[in-house]
Amino acid sequence: MSEPQNSWVILQLLKQQYGIPTECIRELVQFNEAIQIPGFPDFMRGIINLRGRILPVMDLRKKLAMQSFLEETSGVIDLLKQREQDHVNWLNELISSVVENRAFTLARDPHLCAFGK
């Protein structure tokens, strides 16, 4: 008889991979929002109601003194919004320069604009 195969859940933190045996995991659950509780430690995101059971939700990155995924992605989203506004401003200046029959004053080289840098 052959040995049973072990199965693992693999995760990555700071470019380092970790494996957790599946027998240590009850289930993986996707949820939208945790209800925040005043006085919880910083690494606790709150609680969720899972099929009538109230469960705490922990941010493992914050528990390990890392930047949380939410903080990391919100920074990227803010940067993209700024870049979008740069493009809107560029287009508005182009339209104004054509309508007013004047020279275009902003960068024409895409490598010199904020998005290109």
Side-chain angles (χ1 to χ4, degrees):
M1 295 178 65
S2 64
E3 288 288 316
Q5 294 288 330
N6 292 334
S7 52
W8 298 77
V9 171
I10 307 297
L11 60 110
Q12 183 172 326
L13 289 171
L14 291 178
K15 299 182 183 178
Q16 181 68 41
Q17 289 188 340
Y18 299 90
I20 302 171
T22 55
E23 61 262 13
C24 296
I25 297 173
R26 184 175 303 157
E27 65 184 305
L28 300 174
V29 178
Q30 183 177 355
F31 64 96
N32 292 332
E33 260 326 291
I35 300 168
Q36 294 181 341
I37 305 295
F40 259 31
D42 191 33
F43 62 87
M44 294 300 295
R45 296 222 0 234
I47 59 172
I48 61 170
N49 183 335
L50 180 65
R51 296 185 289 277
R53 292 184 59 207
I54 305 302
L55 301 174
V57 177
M58 178 177 65
D59 187 328
L60 184 58
R61 285 179 166 205
K62 285 195 90 107
K63 178 69 173 164
L64 298 174
M66 298 167 51
Q67 184 181 35
S68 77
F69 181 74
L70 296 174
E71 293 167 346
E72 185 179 312
T73 55
S74 71
V76 171
I77 290 169
D78 289 344
L79 177 68
L80 290 174
K81 285 180 181 177
Q82 291 171 0
R83 296 304 180 247
E84 179 183 30
Q85 188 59 51
D86 289 342
H87 287 310
V88 168
N89 294 343
W90 191 91
L91 286 171
N92 287 338
E93 173 58 21
L94 178 62
I95 291 167
S96 294
S97 68
V98 169
V99 169
E100 297 169 11
N101 196 26
R102 62 175 172 77
F104 182 71
T105 60
L106 298 178
R108 293 185 212 167
D109 183 348
H111 298 289
L112 297 178
C113 70
F115 191 76
K117 290 178 183 178

